[in-house]
Amino acid sequence: ETMEETGMTQERWVVFQQGAVAIFKNWTALNLAVEQGWGGRNSQQKADDMVKHILGSFSSLKAGEKCYADQFEDYFYEKMERDFNAMTEDGSIEEISRLLCDLHAQILVDNRTIYDAVTKVQGSGAQSSQKQRQAAERAAREAEHQEAMEEAPETDQTDRNEEMEVEAEQKPTVDEDGWETVTKRKGRK
């Protein structure tokens, strides 16, 4: 199958591939998974295989066939969970999928807006990667804190004081014969 059958010239296909690789290189969740070795010793290979699979999917699109982001989302969720033991719930999978499809649509008509944006970000190198990683770590900490706050019951200080008093009153007492006296619980207000 030639690239012309996909509606894309060889030159545009090369540009699309470079843009797609840049999108993956800018994906913080995937970069963290690889850098931290979440996929074991083969983490980089697993990421490379993901890129190859996605490029293969795009190369099999026929001329005029539209790409839909949701056709890639399940694949990314499965690969991130299975290969990297990572639950990606930050919206990045949807964003990466959408970016890839939008990039493909733009390159088909020789529009390089997304390509220029993603390759510019990629070009900023290790400093950008470190900033992305720090932002991701900060976001992860904030998400954990938010989850903990959501799981905690919403009570004000007076409710907490009343609960402590009730708990103190409800402690069983043991008499000299070893029998426990259990006090009746008061109904909640």
Side-chain angles (χ1 to χ4, degrees), residues 65-147:
E65 189 177 353
K66 188 168 170 38
C67 161
Y68 296 96
D70 60 357
Q71 72 191 79
F72 300 111
E73 292 171 8
D74 289 340
Y75 172 77
F76 286 137
Y77 277 112
E78 180 183 323
K79 291 295 280 183
M80 290 299 289
E81 187 173 345
R82 189 182 64 209
D83 290 356
F84 298 103
N85 199 25
M87 298 296 287
T88 313
E89 298 174 349
D90 61 354
S92 64
I93 284 179
E94 293 80 2
E95 181 182 356
I96 295 299
S97 300
R98 183 186 44 77
L99 264 175
L100 287 166
C101 287
D102 291 350
L103 173 70
H104 186 262
Q106 283 189 357
I107 298 298
L108 275 172
V109 296
D110 206 22
N111 175 342
R112 296 188 181 195
T113 306
I114 293 175
Y115 172 84
D116 290 340
V118 297
T119 55
K120 179 181 178 186
V121 171
Q122 180 195 358
S124 57
Q127 213 172 31
S128 172
S129 177
Q130 184 174 356
K131 285 181 183 177
Q132 286 179 333
R133 186 169 48 253
Q134 289 170 344
E137 290 170 355
R138 191 169 42 255
R141 284 193 302 273
E142 289 171 4
E144 287 175 9
H145 176 73
Q146 185 63 33
E147 274 184 31

